[in-house]
Amino acid sequence: MQSRTPASRTGRPRSAAADTAILAATREALVELGWSKLTLGDVATRAGVAKTTLYRRWAGKPELVCDAVAELFDELELPDRGSLAADIEGVVLQFAAILARPEAKSGLMAVVAESTRDDALRERIRTSIVERQMRLVLQGRARAQSRGELPPEPDPEESARTVDLIFDVVAGAVVHRTLVSGKPADEEWVRDFTRVLLLGLTSSA
Amino acid sequence: MQSRTPASRTGRPRSAAADTAILAATREALVELGWSKLTLGDVATRAGVAKTTLYRRWAGKPELVCDAVAELFDELELPDRGSLAADIEGVVLQFAAILARPEAKSGLMAVVAESTRDDALRERIRTSIVERQMRLVLQGRARAQSRGELPPEPDPEESARTVDLIFDVVAGAVVHRTLVSGKPADEEWVRDFTRVLLLGLTSSA
DNA sequence: GGCATTACGCTACGAGTCGTAGCGAAAGCT
DNA sequence: AGCTTTCGCTACGACTCGTAGCGTAATGCC
């Protein structure tokens, strides 16, 4: 996870199997115990490693859970469904399915909460979780522009602003629906959401 | 906070001053320490009460912080600015201003994270925080419909669905912008957001 | 093969927090 | 007065934290 790319090529290498076992054990503990009752000692036991090994690789609970949750978003992709609306509905449903899993629910929000007082953690979240989602927005937008469904954006600065805005609206709505309102972001909801996102409130039938 | 309305009218009454002092001390501790380092013992010391008094009134840290954060949203209101767009911009800016405060940042997300495994806490959040925000959406929607800016919704079930959707989009976007992306929801962003919400992505200039 | 270097498992430890119990005193009501 | 409930205080066992120290295992370099 933490790139030790060129440095330190001597000595016993770190067990890659331990990494995957620890991250899997972390998700398992998140499901069974939730964020607040999850302890690093328990995770170490589940993973079959010593507690000290855990502390050698991760600074603390937030960093560990961040990495464990980040892997959940690996499966996100943007299949070409032919139209911008269909593309949005597809990726939002994928995103909602991940957020519905208990390990994502209890882990993600807690890590974000911690990141409000920890800049390094915020950056870690950005690179390992947010950026992966942001790529889909960029991809979908480019595809829609090539289809002519969205107007091209000549100004790069305004373009970046728009992408940021869309991302916050889409991700924020799904997260809020799932975690705050506590209701499922099912197909019906996603259909309504996509219509509002594309056409706005004023054009609602 | 917890309505002891009809029961137990005998004996020494609970100090109302202690309640306000405890909640204020909780917010102060949230600012200085953040959620994870906040301890109930420290809050009790700041408030000038005994730790046992705290435990007699609140079940634990999540419930206490929930009540302390909820009071931050008391100041939310919906002044009539003449148009739906202006109303939205106004209330979103208020909401963003509250979320920008450190006690809201570190407290709100952590409590929501805890609520994913605690139904009673989720209900407490709903009644003390979410419902207060939801009222503004209902109010703004009714006002816009009476102005003719939004079409009337005859079906009550679909109407409720739409209100839920709007609420998740608005609140989710502001929260995500402020806490995940870590950028301010300033006037420029709110203007862009309102335009997308009302007109949709496809009509962007 | 031998050597330096790093990772690993294990144990133990001080520090800190948790939530509760028990007590005497204070502040209301009837 | 007497009754009832709350308050402040102290003390407590249980738990988690994060680290230190040690001997052992696994690699690269000579």
Side-chain angles (χ1 to χ4, degrees):
Chain A
M1 281 303 135
Q2 52 273 62
S3 57
R4 193 164 304 286
T5 17
S8 84
R9 45 175 52 82
T10 175
R12 175 177 177 177
R14 287 192 171 173
S15 163
D19 264 336
T20 63
I22 291 171
L23 292 175
T26 303
R27 287 187 289 270
E28 184 186 313
L30 275 178
V31 174
E32 292 184 19
L33 306 173
W35 162 269
S36 57
K37 294 184 179 176
L38 179 149
T39 67
L40 295 200
D42 180 71
V43 170
T45 305
R46 290 172 188 267
V49 301
K51 190 173 62 163
T52 45
T53 300
L54 245 159
Y55 280 100
R56 288 191 190 101
R57 306 191 182 197
W58 283 277
K61 179 152 85 161
E63 290 79 8
L64 172 63
V65 172
C66 175
D67 288 359
V69 170
E71 289 188 341
L72 294 175
F73 294 94
D74 278 343
E75 57 193 63
L76 272 179
E77 50 182 32
L78 187 64
D80 194 329
R81 295 189 166 200
S83 75
L84 175 56
D87 284 358
I88 292 177
E89 290 183 9
V91 74
V92 166
L93 277 175
Q94 286 182 54
F95 188 51
I98 295 175
L99 279 185
R101 298 170 65 173
E103 61 268 40
K105 274 186 184 171
S106 41
L108 188 60
M109 298 306 279
V111 172
V112 170
E114 287 302 310
S115 76
T116 59
R117 312 204 97 244
D118 184 340
D119 289 337
L121 180 59
R122 174 196 302 286
E123 183 62 18
R124 193 188 195 95
I125 294 175
R126 207 183 60 75
T127 58
S128 65
I129 298 181
V130 172
E131 231 168 44
R132 232 169 290 192
Q133 304 167 6
M134 181 77 88
R135 235 197 321 258
L136 299 183
V137 177
L138 287 166
Q139 202 175 331
R141 177 185 168 82
R143 194 183 286 169
Q145 285 176 335
S146 74
R147 286 201 199 99
E149 295 178 291
L150 285 179
E153 194 88 59
D155 183 0
E157 190 204 344
E158 188 178 343
S159 175
R161 255 201 3 243
T162 306
V163 170
D164 282 351
L165 173 63
I166 294 172
F167 177 60
D168 284 326
V169 170
V170 174
V174 178
V175 169
H176 200 277
R177 166 80 175 180
T178 307
L179 302 183
V180 180
S181 297
K183 300 175 183 174
D186 52 16
E187 294 191 12
E188 183 183 30
W189 184 86
V190 171
R191 206 159 30 231
D192 290 349
F193 169 71
T194 304
R195 189 159 51 101
V196 169
L197 180 63
L198 290 179
L199 303 177
L201 281 179
T202 51
S203 76
S204 74
Chain B
M1 279 307 135
Q2 53 271 62
S3 58
R4 193 165 302 285
T5 18
S8 85
R9 46 174 53 82
T10 175
R12 175 177 177 175
R14 286 192 173 173
S15 162
D19 264 336
T20 63
I22 290 171
L23 292 175
T26 303
R27 287 187 289 269
E28 183 186 312
L30 275 177
V31 174
E32 291 184 20
L33 306 173
W35 163 270
S36 57
K37 294 184 180 175
L38 178 147
T39 68
L40 295 200
D42 181 71
V43 170
T45 305
R46 290 173 188 265
V49 301
K51 190 172 60 162
T52 45
T53 299
L54 245 160
Y55 279 101
R56 288 192 191 100
R57 308 190 182 197
W58 283 276
K61 180 152 84 159
E63 290 80 7
L64 173 62
V65 173
C66 175
D67 288 0
V69 171
E71 289 189 341
L72 294 175
F73 294 94
D74 277 344
E75 57 193 64
L76 272 180
E77 50 183 32
L78 186 64
D80 194 329
R81 294 187 167 202
S83 76
L84 175 58
D87 284 358
I88 293 176
E89 290 183 10
V91 74
V92 166
L93 277 175
Q94 285 182 56
F95 189 51
I98 295 175
L99 279 185
R101 299 169 66 173
E103 61 268 40
K105 275 186 183 173
S106 42
L108 188 59
M109 298 305 278
V111 173
V112 170
E114 287 301 312
S115 77
T116 60
R117 311 203 99 244
D118 185 340
D119 289 336
L121 180 60
R122 174 196 302 286
E123 183 62 19
R124 192 190 196 95
I125 294 174
R126 207 183 59 75
T127 58
S128 65
I129 299 181
V130 172
E131 231 169 43
R132 232 169 290 193
Q133 303 167 5
M134 181 76 86
R135 236 197 320 257
L136 299 183
V137 177
L138 287 166
Q139 201 176 331
R141 177 184 169 82
R143 193 182 286 170
Q145 284 175 335
S146 75
R147 285 200 199 100
E149 293 178 293
L150 284 180
E153 194 89 59
D155 183 0
E157 190 203 344
E158 189 179 340
S159 176
R161 256 199 6 241
T162 306
V163 170
D164 282 351
L165 174 62
I166 295 172
F167 177 59
D168 284 326
V169 170
V170 174
V174 178
V175 169
H176 199 277
R177 167 78 176 182
T178 308
L179 301 184
V180 179
S181 297
K183 300 175 183 174
D186 51 16
E187 294 190 13
E188 183 183 33
W189 184 87
V190 172
R191 207 159 30 233
D192 289 348
F193 169 70
T194 303
R195 189 160 50 100
V196 170
L197 180 64
L198 291 179
L199 304 177
L201 282 179
T202 50
S203 75
S204 73

Short mmCIF file of all heavy atoms in Angstrom, two decimals, chain B residues 94-144:
data_model
loop_
_atom_site.label_atom_id
_atom_site.label_comp_id
_atom_site.label_asym_id
_atom_site.label_seq_id
_atom_site.Cartn_x
_atom_site.Cartn_y
_atom_site.Cartn_z
N GLN B 94 -26.39 29.23 4.49
CA GLN B 94 -26.49 29.09 5.95
C GLN B 94 -26.02 27.71 6.39
O GLN B 94 -25.24 27.57 7.35
CB GLN B 94 -27.95 29.26 6.39
CG GLN B 94 -28.49 30.66 6.37
CD GLN B 94 -29.92 30.68 6.88
OE1 GLN B 94 -30.21 30.25 7.98
NE2 GLN B 94 -30.83 31.19 6.06
N PHE B 95 -26.49 26.71 5.69
CA PHE B 95 -26.12 25.34 6.02
C PHE B 95 -24.61 25.15 5.91
O PHE B 95 -23.98 24.54 6.79
CB PHE B 95 -26.87 24.38 5.09
CG PHE B 95 -26.75 22.93 5.45
CD1 PHE B 95 -27.01 22.49 6.74
CD2 PHE B 95 -26.39 22.00 4.48
CE1 PHE B 95 -26.90 21.15 7.06
CE2 PHE B 95 -26.28 20.65 4.81
CZ PHE B 95 -26.54 20.24 6.09
N ALA B 96 -24.04 25.70 4.87
CA ALA B 96 -22.60 25.57 4.67
C ALA B 96 -21.83 26.28 5.77
O ALA B 96 -20.78 25.80 6.21
CB ALA B 96 -22.22 26.13 3.31
N ALA B 97 -22.36 27.41 6.22
CA ALA B 97 -21.67 28.16 7.27
C ALA B 97 -21.63 27.36 8.56
O ALA B 97 -20.61 27.35 9.28
CB ALA B 97 -22.37 29.50 7.50
N ILE B 98 -22.70 26.65 8.85
CA ILE B 98 -22.72 25.82 10.06
C ILE B 98 -21.74 24.66 9.92
O ILE B 98 -20.96 24.37 10.84
CB ILE B 98 -24.14 25.30 10.32
CG1 ILE B 98 -25.07 26.47 10.64
CG2 ILE B 98 -24.14 24.28 11.45
CD1 ILE B 98 -26.52 26.06 10.81
N LEU B 99 -21.76 24.02 8.75
CA LEU B 99 -20.89 22.87 8.55
C LEU B 99 -19.42 23.26 8.55
O LEU B 99 -18.54 22.42 8.78
CB LEU B 99 -21.23 22.18 7.23
CG LEU B 99 -22.41 21.23 7.25
CD1 LEU B 99 -22.55 20.53 5.93
CD2 LEU B 99 -22.25 20.20 8.36
N ALA B 100 -19.13 24.51 8.27
CA ALA B 100 -17.74 24.94 8.24
C ALA B 100 -17.16 25.07 9.64
O ALA B 100 -15.94 25.07 9.81
CB ALA B 100 -17.63 26.28 7.51
N ARG B 101 -18.02 25.14 10.63
CA ARG B 101 -17.52 25.27 12.00
C ARG B 101 -16.91 23.95 12.46
O ARG B 101 -17.44 22.87 12.19
CB ARG B 101 -18.66 25.70 12.93
CG ARG B 101 -19.24 27.04 12.53
CD ARG B 101 -20.52 27.33 13.28
NE ARG B 101 -20.29 27.50 14.71
CZ ARG B 101 -21.23 27.90 15.56
NH1 ARG B 101 -22.44 28.17 15.10
NH2 ARG B 101 -20.97 28.02 16.83
N PRO B 102 -15.80 24.01 13.16
CA PRO B 102 -15.08 22.77 13.49
C PRO B 102 -15.88 21.83 14.37
O PRO B 102 -15.76 20.61 14.25
CB PRO B 102 -13.82 23.28 14.21
CG PRO B 102 -14.13 24.68 14.61
CD PRO B 102 -15.07 25.21 13.59
N GLU B 103 -16.71 22.37 15.28
CA GLU B 103 -17.47 21.48 16.15
C GLU B 103 -18.51 20.70 15.35
O GLU B 103 -18.84 19.56 15.69
CB GLU B 103 -18.13 22.27 17.29
CG GLU B 103 -19.12 23.33 16.85
CD GLU B 103 -18.46 24.67 16.69
OE1 GLU B 103 -17.33 24.71 16.17
OE2 GLU B 103 -19.09 25.69 17.06
N ALA B 104 -19.01 21.28 14.26
CA ALA B 104 -19.95 20.54 13.43
C ALA B 104 -19.21 19.51 12.59
O ALA B 104 -19.63 18.35 12.47
CB ALA B 104 -20.72 21.51 12.52
N LYS B 105 -18.10 19.92 12.00
CA LYS B 105 -17.33 19.01 11.17
C LYS B 105 -16.98 17.72 11.89
O LYS B 105 -17.29 16.61 11.45
CB LYS B 105 -16.01 19.69 10.73
CG LYS B 105 -16.11 20.57 9.52
CD LYS B 105 -14.70 21.04 9.15
CE LYS B 105 -14.75 22.00 7.97
NZ LYS B 105 -13.44 22.59 7.72
N SER B 106 -16.32 17.87 13.02
CA SER B 106 -15.80 16.68 13.70
C SER B 106 -16.90 15.90 14.39
O SER B 106 -16.76 14.70 14.59
CB SER B 106 -14.71 17.06 14.69
OG SER B 106 -15.05 18.22 15.40
N GLY B 107 -17.98 16.56 14.76
CA GLY B 107 -19.01 15.86 15.50
C GLY B 107 -20.04 15.18 14.62
O GLY B 107 -20.37 14.02 14.83
N LEU B 108 -20.51 15.88 13.61
CA LEU B 108 -21.64 15.37 12.85
C LEU B 108 -21.32 14.04 12.17
O LEU B 108 -22.07 13.05 12.31
CB LEU B 108 -22.06 16.41 11.81
CG LEU B 108 -23.35 16.12 11.06
CD1 LEU B 108 -24.52 16.00 12.02
CD2 LEU B 108 -23.62 17.19 10.02
N MET B 109 -20.23 13.99 11.43
CA MET B 109 -19.92 12.77 10.69
C MET B 109 -19.68 11.59 11.62
O MET B 109 -20.08 10.46 11.34
CB MET B 109 -18.69 12.99 9.82
CG MET B 109 -18.88 14.05 8.78
SD MET B 109 -20.31 13.73 7.75
CE MET B 109 -19.64 12.56 6.61
N ALA B 110 -19.04 11.86 12.74
CA ALA B 110 -18.76 10.77 13.68
C ALA B 110 -20.06 10.20 14.24
O ALA B 110 -20.21 8.97 14.36
CB ALA B 110 -17.86 11.28 14.81
N VAL B 111 -20.98 11.05 14.56
CA VAL B 111 -22.25 10.57 15.10
C VAL B 111 -23.00 9.78 14.03
O VAL B 111 -23.59 8.73 14.32
CB VAL B 111 -23.09 11.76 15.60
CG1 VAL B 111 -24.47 11.28 16.00
CG2 VAL B 111 -22.42 12.41 16.78
N VAL B 112 -22.98 10.27 12.82
CA VAL B 112 -23.65 9.53 11.74
C VAL B 112 -22.98 8.18 11.55
O VAL B 112 -23.65 7.17 11.34
CB VAL B 112 -23.62 10.35 10.43
CG1 VAL B 112 -24.09 9.51 9.26
CG2 VAL B 112 -24.49 11.59 10.57
N ALA B 113 -21.67 8.16 11.63
CA ALA B 113 -20.96 6.90 11.49
C ALA B 113 -21.39 5.91 12.57
O ALA B 113 -21.63 4.73 12.30
CB ALA B 113 -19.45 7.13 11.55
N GLU B 114 -21.50 6.39 13.80
CA GLU B 114 -21.94 5.51 14.87
C GLU B 114 -23.36 5.01 14.63
O GLU B 114 -23.70 3.87 14.98
CB GLU B 114 -21.89 6.27 16.21
CG GLU B 114 -20.50 6.49 16.74
CD GLU B 114 -19.75 5.20 16.96
OE1 GLU B 114 -20.30 4.27 17.55
OE2 GLU B 114 -18.60 5.11 16.48
N SER B 115 -24.18 5.86 14.05
CA SER B 115 -25.60 5.51 13.90
C SER B 115 -25.81 4.37 12.92
O SER B 115 -26.91 3.80 12.89
CB SER B 115 -26.39 6.73 13.43
OG SER B 115 -26.18 6.96 12.05
N THR B 116 -24.80 4.03 12.15
CA THR B 116 -24.99 2.92 11.21
C THR B 116 -25.14 1.59 11.94
O THR B 116 -25.58 0.61 11.36
CB THR B 116 -23.80 2.82 10.24
OG1 THR B 116 -22.60 2.61 10.97
CG2 THR B 116 -23.67 4.08 9.41
N ARG B 117 -24.76 1.56 13.22
CA ARG B 117 -24.89 0.31 13.98
C ARG B 117 -25.79 0.49 15.20
O ARG B 117 -25.77 -0.33 16.11
CB ARG B 117 -23.53 -0.19 14.46
CG ARG B 117 -22.47 -0.25 13.39
CD ARG B 117 -21.40 -1.24 13.75
NE ARG B 117 -21.61 -2.51 13.07
CZ ARG B 117 -21.87 -3.66 13.68
NH1 ARG B 117 -21.98 -3.70 14.99
NH2 ARG B 117 -22.05 -4.75 12.99
N ASP B 118 -26.54 1.57 15.26
CA ASP B 118 -27.32 1.88 16.45
C ASP B 118 -28.62 2.54 16.01
O ASP B 118 -28.65 3.73 15.72
CB ASP B 118 -26.50 2.79 17.37
CG ASP B 118 -27.20 3.06 18.70
OD1 ASP B 118 -28.43 2.87 18.77
OD2 ASP B 118 -26.52 3.45 19.66
N ASP B 119 -29.69 1.78 16.01
CA ASP B 119 -30.95 2.30 15.51
C ASP B 119 -31.48 3.44 16.38
O ASP B 119 -32.05 4.40 15.88
CB ASP B 119 -31.99 1.17 15.44
CG ASP B 119 -31.67 0.19 14.33
OD1 ASP B 119 -30.98 0.60 13.38
OD2 ASP B 119 -32.10 -0.97 14.39
N ALA B 120 -31.31 3.31 17.69
CA ALA B 120 -31.81 4.36 18.58
C ALA B 120 -31.09 5.68 18.29
O ALA B 120 -31.72 6.75 18.26
CB ALA B 120 -31.60 3.96 20.04
N LEU B 121 -29.79 5.59 18.05
CA LEU B 121 -29.04 6.81 17.75
C LEU B 121 -29.48 7.40 16.41
O LEU B 121 -29.60 8.62 16.26
CB LEU B 121 -27.55 6.50 17.72
CG LEU B 121 -26.63 7.67 17.43
CD1 LEU B 121 -26.80 8.77 18.46
CD2 LEU B 121 -25.17 7.21 17.39
N ARG B 122 -29.73 6.53 15.44
CA ARG B 122 -30.18 7.02 14.14
C ARG B 122 -31.50 7.78 14.29
O ARG B 122 -31.69 8.83 13.69
CB ARG B 122 -30.38 5.84 13.17
CG ARG B 122 -30.99 6.27 11.84
CD ARG B 122 -31.52 5.09 11.07
NE ARG B 122 -30.50 4.09 10.82
CZ ARG B 122 -29.55 4.24 9.93
NH1 ARG B 122 -29.49 5.36 9.22
NH2 ARG B 122 -28.67 3.29 9.73
N GLU B 123 -32.38 7.24 15.11
CA GLU B 123 -33.67 7.91 15.32
C GLU B 123 -33.46 9.25 16.02
O GLU B 123 -34.12 10.24 15.70
CB GLU B 123 -34.58 6.99 16.14
CG GLU B 123 -35.96 7.55 16.38
CD GLU B 123 -36.72 7.77 15.09
OE1 GLU B 123 -36.34 7.18 14.05
OE2 GLU B 123 -37.69 8.56 15.11
N ARG B 124 -32.53 9.27 16.97
CA ARG B 124 -32.25 10.53 17.67
C ARG B 124 -31.74 11.57 16.69
O ARG B 124 -32.13 12.74 16.75
CB ARG B 124 -31.20 10.25 18.75
CG ARG B 124 -31.01 11.38 19.74
CD ARG B 124 -29.80 11.12 20.62
NE ARG B 124 -29.78 11.95 21.81
CZ ARG B 124 -30.25 11.57 22.98
NH1 ARG B 124 -30.78 10.37 23.11
NH2 ARG B 124 -30.21 12.37 24.02
N ILE B 125 -30.85 11.19 15.80
CA ILE B 125 -30.34 12.12 14.80
C ILE B 125 -31.48 12.61 13.91
O ILE B 125 -31.58 13.80 13.59
CB ILE B 125 -29.25 11.44 13.95
CG1 ILE B 125 -28.03 11.12 14.80
CG2 ILE B 125 -28.86 12.31 12.76
CD1 ILE B 125 -26.98 10.32 14.06
N ARG B 126 -32.34 11.68 13.53
CA ARG B 126 -33.42 12.05 12.63
C ARG B 126 -34.32 13.13 13.25
O ARG B 126 -34.61 14.14 12.62
CB ARG B 126 -34.26 10.80 12.29
CG ARG B 126 -34.95 10.86 10.95
CD ARG B 126 -35.82 9.61 10.72
NE ARG B 126 -36.83 9.46 11.74
CZ ARG B 126 -37.93 10.19 11.81
NH1 ARG B 126 -38.16 11.11 10.90
NH2 ARG B 126 -38.81 10.00 12.78
N THR B 127 -34.70 12.91 14.48
CA THR B 127 -35.65 13.85 15.08
C THR B 127 -34.99 15.16 15.49
O THR B 127 -35.62 16.21 15.43
CB THR B 127 -36.31 13.22 16.32
OG1 THR B 127 -35.30 12.86 17.25
CG2 THR B 127 -37.10 11.97 15.94
N SER B 128 -33.73 15.10 15.89
CA SER B 128 -33.14 16.32 16.44
C SER B 128 -32.34 17.11 15.41
O SER B 128 -32.07 18.29 15.63
CB SER B 128 -32.25 15.98 17.64
OG SER B 128 -31.15 15.21 17.23
N ILE B 129 -31.93 16.50 14.33
CA ILE B 129 -31.12 17.21 13.34
C ILE B 129 -31.78 17.19 11.97
O ILE B 129 -32.05 18.24 11.38
CB ILE B 129 -29.70 16.58 13.24
CG1 ILE B 129 -28.98 16.69 14.58
CG2 ILE B 129 -28.91 17.27 12.15
CD1 ILE B 129 -27.58 16.11 14.57
N VAL B 130 -32.07 16.01 11.46
CA VAL B 130 -32.53 15.90 10.08
C VAL B 130 -33.88 16.55 9.89
O VAL B 130 -34.10 17.29 8.92
CB VAL B 130 -32.58 14.41 9.67
CG1 VAL B 130 -33.22 14.26 8.31
CG2 VAL B 130 -31.18 13.84 9.65
N GLU B 131 -34.78 16.31 10.83
CA GLU B 131 -36.14 16.81 10.63
C GLU B 131 -36.18 18.33 10.57
O GLU B 131 -36.98 18.92 9.84
CB GLU B 131 -37.04 16.32 11.76
CG GLU B 131 -38.31 15.66 11.24
CD GLU B 131 -39.06 14.95 12.35
OE1 GLU B 131 -39.17 15.52 13.44
OE2 GLU B 131 -39.53 13.81 12.11
N ARG B 132 -35.30 18.96 11.32
CA ARG B 132 -35.25 20.40 11.32
C ARG B 132 -34.82 20.94 9.94
O ARG B 132 -35.28 21.99 9.48
CB ARG B 132 -34.27 20.89 12.38
CG ARG B 132 -34.86 21.92 13.30
CD ARG B 132 -33.96 22.17 14.48
NE ARG B 132 -33.93 21.04 15.40
CZ ARG B 132 -33.42 21.12 16.63
NH1 ARG B 132 -32.88 22.23 17.07
NH2 ARG B 132 -33.42 20.06 17.42
N GLN B 133 -33.91 20.21 9.29
CA GLN B 133 -33.48 20.64 7.96
C GLN B 133 -34.55 20.32 6.93
O GLN B 133 -34.79 21.10 5.99
CB GLN B 133 -32.18 19.92 7.59
CG GLN B 133 -31.07 20.14 8.60
CD GLN B 133 -29.91 19.19 8.39
OE1 GLN B 133 -29.88 18.42 7.43
NE2 GLN B 133 -28.94 19.23 9.29
N MET B 134 -35.20 19.17 7.11
CA MET B 134 -36.21 18.75 6.15
C MET B 134 -37.35 19.76 6.07
O MET B 134 -37.92 19.99 5.00
CB MET B 134 -36.76 17.38 6.59
CG MET B 134 -37.81 16.83 5.66
SD MET B 134 -37.14 16.15 4.14
CE MET B 134 -36.75 14.49 4.67
N ARG B 135 -37.67 20.37 7.20
CA ARG B 135 -38.75 21.35 7.22
C ARG B 135 -38.49 22.49 6.24
O ARG B 135 -39.40 23.00 5.59
CB ARG B 135 -38.92 21.91 8.63
CG ARG B 135 -40.31 21.75 9.18
CD ARG B 135 -40.53 22.66 10.37
NE ARG B 135 -39.37 22.71 11.24
CZ ARG B 135 -39.29 22.05 12.40
NH1 ARG B 135 -40.26 21.27 12.77
NH2 ARG B 135 -38.22 22.18 13.15
N LEU B 136 -37.22 22.88 6.14
CA LEU B 136 -36.89 23.97 5.22
C LEU B 136 -37.17 23.58 3.78
O LEU B 136 -37.62 24.40 2.98
CB LEU B 136 -35.43 24.36 5.40
CG LEU B 136 -35.02 24.85 6.78
CD1 LEU B 136 -33.57 25.26 6.78
CD2 LEU B 136 -35.90 26.00 7.21
N VAL B 137 -36.89 22.32 3.46
CA VAL B 137 -37.14 21.87 2.09
C VAL B 137 -38.64 21.93 1.80
O VAL B 137 -39.07 22.43 0.75
CB VAL B 137 -36.60 20.44 1.89
CG1 VAL B 137 -36.94 19.95 0.50
CG2 VAL B 137 -35.10 20.41 2.11
N LEU B 138 -39.43 21.42 2.72
CA LEU B 138 -40.88 21.44 2.53
C LEU B 138 -41.38 22.87 2.37
O LEU B 138 -42.20 23.17 1.50
CB LEU B 138 -41.56 20.77 3.75
CG LEU B 138 -41.44 19.26 3.83
CD1 LEU B 138 -41.84 18.76 5.21
CD2 LEU B 138 -42.30 18.61 2.76
N GLN B 139 -40.87 23.73 3.23
CA GLN B 139 -41.29 25.13 3.20
C GLN B 139 -40.93 25.80 1.87
O GLN B 139 -41.76 26.45 1.24
CB GLN B 139 -40.57 25.83 4.36
CG GLN B 139 -41.19 27.13 4.83
CD GLN B 139 -40.44 27.66 6.05
OE1 GLN B 139 -39.87 26.88 6.81
NE2 GLN B 139 -40.41 28.96 6.21
N GLY B 140 -39.69 25.60 1.45
CA GLY B 140 -39.24 26.22 0.20
C GLY B 140 -39.99 25.68 -1.00
O GLY B 140 -40.31 26.42 -1.94
N ARG B 141 -40.30 24.39 -0.94
CA ARG B 141 -41.02 23.79 -2.06
C ARG B 141 -42.44 24.35 -2.15
O ARG B 141 -42.90 24.73 -3.23
CB ARG B 141 -41.07 22.28 -1.85
CG ARG B 141 -41.86 21.54 -2.90
CD ARG B 141 -41.91 20.05 -2.50
NE ARG B 141 -42.86 19.30 -3.30
CZ ARG B 141 -42.60 18.83 -4.49
NH1 ARG B 141 -41.43 19.06 -5.05
NH2 ARG B 141 -43.51 18.14 -5.15
N ALA B 142 -43.10 24.43 -1.01
CA ALA B 142 -44.47 24.97 -1.01
C ALA B 142 -44.47 26.41 -1.51
O ALA B 142 -45.34 26.82 -2.29
CB ALA B 142 -45.05 24.89 0.41
N ARG B 143 -43.48 27.18 -1.08
CA ARG B 143 -43.41 28.57 -1.49
C ARG B 143 -43.22 28.68 -3.01
O ARG B 143 -43.83 29.51 -3.67
CB ARG B 143 -42.27 29.26 -0.75
CG ARG B 143 -42.28 30.75 -0.85
CD ARG B 143 -41.08 31.32 -0.14
NE ARG B 143 -41.20 31.27 1.32
CZ ARG B 143 -40.20 31.53 2.14
NH1 ARG B 143 -39.02 31.85 1.65
NH2 ARG B 143 -40.38 31.47 3.43
N ALA B 144 -42.33 27.81 -3.53
CA ALA B 144 -42.08 27.85 -4.97
C ALA B 144 -43.31 27.43 -5.76
O ALA B 144 -43.59 27.97 -6.84
CB ALA B 144 -40.90 26.93 -5.30
#
